[in-house]
Amino acid sequence: MKKRVLAAVSILFFTLLSGMGEAFVPTTPHLLHLVMEKIKQPVGIEAYQTKKIINYKDTEKGVVELEEKLSFLYPNRFRSQIISDTTTGFSVESEFRFIKVMGAVTVSQEKAPVDLYTDILLYRDSELLLDQLTLAGVDTTVVSFQRYNDTICYVIGRSLEKGKPFAGLWIEKDTFLPIKYVVEKNGWVIEFFYKNWQQISKTWYPMQGNIFLDKQLFAIIDVNTIDLTSNFSLSLFDIAYIEQLYPKSNPDTLDENTKQVNELDKRIDDFKKLYE
């Protein structure tokens, strides 16, 4: 009898021991749920940041620096506004629509690939973020372990092609904080890095970030101040109202400052020309 008990215990022990070597990998919905439990969704966030855009075209002016105000009204409203005495510009994402205004005219109704970095900051509901990742071209059926520098991460997505970077979202295994987001749009690979996550009340926000286009540094982001607030006028996010105020652009009517910012914003479209 004792031999049978010892045999059963031994079998159970070695079964458990062998299973310990196989790390648990959650599904994408479960993983995003854990991320949302970590970073939380507040009512609203107001952040002021400095964005330094690397200007490779103008060698005498290597960096163009923009001061921006970001307003998040959750679950899915976002406004980014340039703070400048000489340039008027803002973009709004609301109810899954987008509009960009420069110099008092509408210049785009499609979110530029370099602006996709706000997906991770805006969509703090697991189902909404899952939809956004899918729209961005990420294969959300695949979750794996990958190493980023010395950090072990869960990665949602798969390699674009054999030997090429992953298109996906890197989530730090121990903290469940997103640290890297990679998408492929119009033939370009765009990488977003989220750094120095800080806790504000119950929510979290990255205070620094980088954007790379095909391994070339495009922008450096530093958040100066951040506050939790919901004191926003809904008209700031009303795209139908904004469309009435700002007609579509005529390129001949744009001022020089607006043309410069517009050109930088569209660098993703003529990136190769800047290096030829």
Side-chain angles (χ1 to χ4, degrees), residues 24-41:
F24 171 71
V25 180
T27 63
T28 297
H30 183 204
L31 181 55
L32 292 181
H33 173 72
L34 295 173
V35 172
M36 295 308 126
E37 280 193 334
K38 173 69 175 186
I39 67 175
K40 304 296 184 185
Q41 177 179 277

Side-chain angles (χ1 to χ4, degrees), residues 2 7 19 40 54 64 91 136 138 140 143 151 182 184 201 214 226 243 258 266:
K2 290 183 178 180
K40 304 296 184 185
I54 311 303
V64 173
S91 62
V138 174
T140 58
V143 180
T151 303
V182 182
E184 182 187 31
S201 186
D214 279 351
I226 182 170
E243 288 175 330
T258 300
K266 293 180 178 179

